[in-house]
């Protein structure tokens, strides 16, 4: 199955969460290298390492990264594992949902990363109202992009994202919702609110989780 096409658009929220002036960053799934390019423009002395599973994307990323490993991070080489031992940050920008065992990946990172390091990840939210609407209609049809991207292997809500990290050696420093203005969104959120009330759930929490298309998590090693 083909990977999601690369783009020169990077996740702005991820970019804003990354601390400035880090010595070494490893980004898993660099795509075109757009995020690396943006960060290096402001932090030229950072050793930015990329990891890509697709050779054409790896070639694009090499324009901006000091080094790019052409590997599947779920089966890392010894050299790549060694890179982790002095890294300040590992980034997964829309990547963990493409992995068969993201739980094991994070558990491995928690054992190898130095105590001062952290992980930043953006993950699609399948509690979004559009996903809930599709589920109600029985229309879980895979697409070329979005929440039902056919290359997605795992699906998460905010709560299971948090568990993904906290049960595998990390504590969550921040979790930032990315909310986009879809057509008729407020109307859809009203029925989410009504459903939450009917099921005796926290309506405000249900609305926020249903409005969020993606969460960006910043987590520290425990």
């Amino acid at each position: 199955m083909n990977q999601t096409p690369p783009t020169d658009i990077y996740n702005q929220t991820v970019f804003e969460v990354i601390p400035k002036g880090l010595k070494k960053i490893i980004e898993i799934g660099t795509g075109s290298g757009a995020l690396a390019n943006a960060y290096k423009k402001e932090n030229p002395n950072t050793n930015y390492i990329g990891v890509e599973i697709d050779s054409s994307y790896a070639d694009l990323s090499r324009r901006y990264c000091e080094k790019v490993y052409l590997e599947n991070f779920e089966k890392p080489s010894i050299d790549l594992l060694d890179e982790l031992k002095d890294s300040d940050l590992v980034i997964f920008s829309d990547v963990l949902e493409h992995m068969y065992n993201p739980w094991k990946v994070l558990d491995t990172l928690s054992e190898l990363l130095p105590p001062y390091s952290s992980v930043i990840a953006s993950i699609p939210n399948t509690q979004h109202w559009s996903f809930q609407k599709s589920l109600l209609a029985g229309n879980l049809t895979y697409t070329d992009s979005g929440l039902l991207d056919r290359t997605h292997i795992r699906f998460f809500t905010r709560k299971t994202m948090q568990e993904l990290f906290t049960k595998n050696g990390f504590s969550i420093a921040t979790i930032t919702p990315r909310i986009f203005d879809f057509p008729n969104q407020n109307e859809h959120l009203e029925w989410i609110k009504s459903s939450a009330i009917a099921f005796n759930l926290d309506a405000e929490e249900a609305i926020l989780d249903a409005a969020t298309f993606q969460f960006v998590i910043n987590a520290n090693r425990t």
Side-chain angles (χ1 to χ4, degrees), residues 10 66 127 185 207:
Y10 57 88
E66 275 66 36
Q127 199 175 342
Q185 178 158 279
I207 291 172

Side-chain angles (χ1 to χ4, degrees), residues 74-202:
E74 292 198 79
K75 300 176 181 179
S77 65
I78 293 176
D79 288 343
L80 179 51
L81 292 175
D82 284 341
E83 293 278 12
L84 295 168
K85 295 176 182 179
D86 63 346
S87 296
D88 297 295
L89 173 67
V90 176
I91 301 172
F92 297 91
S93 188
D94 299 301
V95 170
L96 288 171
E97 67 274 11
H98 296 269
M99 293 182 166
Y100 286 96
N101 197 341
W103 303 274
K104 182 180 178 182
V105 167
L106 288 177
D107 183 58
T108 299
L109 286 177
S110 72
E111 294 177 357
L112 293 177
L113 288 172
Y116 55 79
S117 63
S118 60
V119 170
I120 293 175
S122 60
I123 306 175
N125 172 36
T126 51
Q127 199 175 342
H128 189 259
W129 65 263
S130 64
F131 194 99
Q132 294 190 52
K133 181 181 178 181
S134 295
L135 186 62
L136 282 172
N139 293 328
L140 287 184
T141 304
Y142 287 96
T143 56
D144 291 332
S145 61
L147 296 177
L148 279 167
D149 185 321
R150 58 177 47 88
T151 64
H152 289 180
I153 297 170
R154 301 299 182 185
F155 297 89
F156 296 95
T157 64
R158 175 182 55 82
K159 290 181 179 179
T160 59
M161 290 177 206
Q162 290 174 309
E163 290 175 355
L164 171 64
F165 283 87
T166 58
K167 291 186 177 181
N168 290 286
F170 290 88
S171 62
I172 295 176
T174 62
I175 179 165
T176 306
R178 299 191 80 209
I179 299 174
F180 305 107
D181 188 18
F182 291 98
N184 304 315
Q185 178 158 279
N186 289 336
E187 296 176 18
H188 294 299
L189 293 177
E190 280 300 316
W191 65 257
I192 294 289
K193 179 180 180 180
S194 299
S195 298
I197 292 172
F199 286 110
N200 198 30
L201 301 173
D202 186 323

Side-chain angles (χ1 to χ4, degrees), residues 6-18 20 27-39 48 89 91-97 120-125 161 176-180 212-218:
T7 173
D8 287 330
I9 300 173
Y10 57 88
N11 189 313
Q12 183 65 35
T13 307
V14 169
F15 176 75
E16 292 170 356
V17 173
I18 303 173
K20 306 305 179 187
E27 183 185 354
I28 314 302
T30 45
S32 70
L35 183 61
N37 183 35
Y39 188 82
Y48 204 110
L89 173 67
I91 301 172
F92 297 91
S93 188
D94 299 301
V95 170
L96 288 171
E97 67 274 11
I120 293 175
S122 60
I123 306 175
N125 172 36
M161 290 177 206
T176 306
R178 299 191 80 209
I179 299 174
F180 305 107
T212 302
F213 193 78
Q214 191 179 60
F215 285 100
V216 174
I217 294 173
N218 182 10

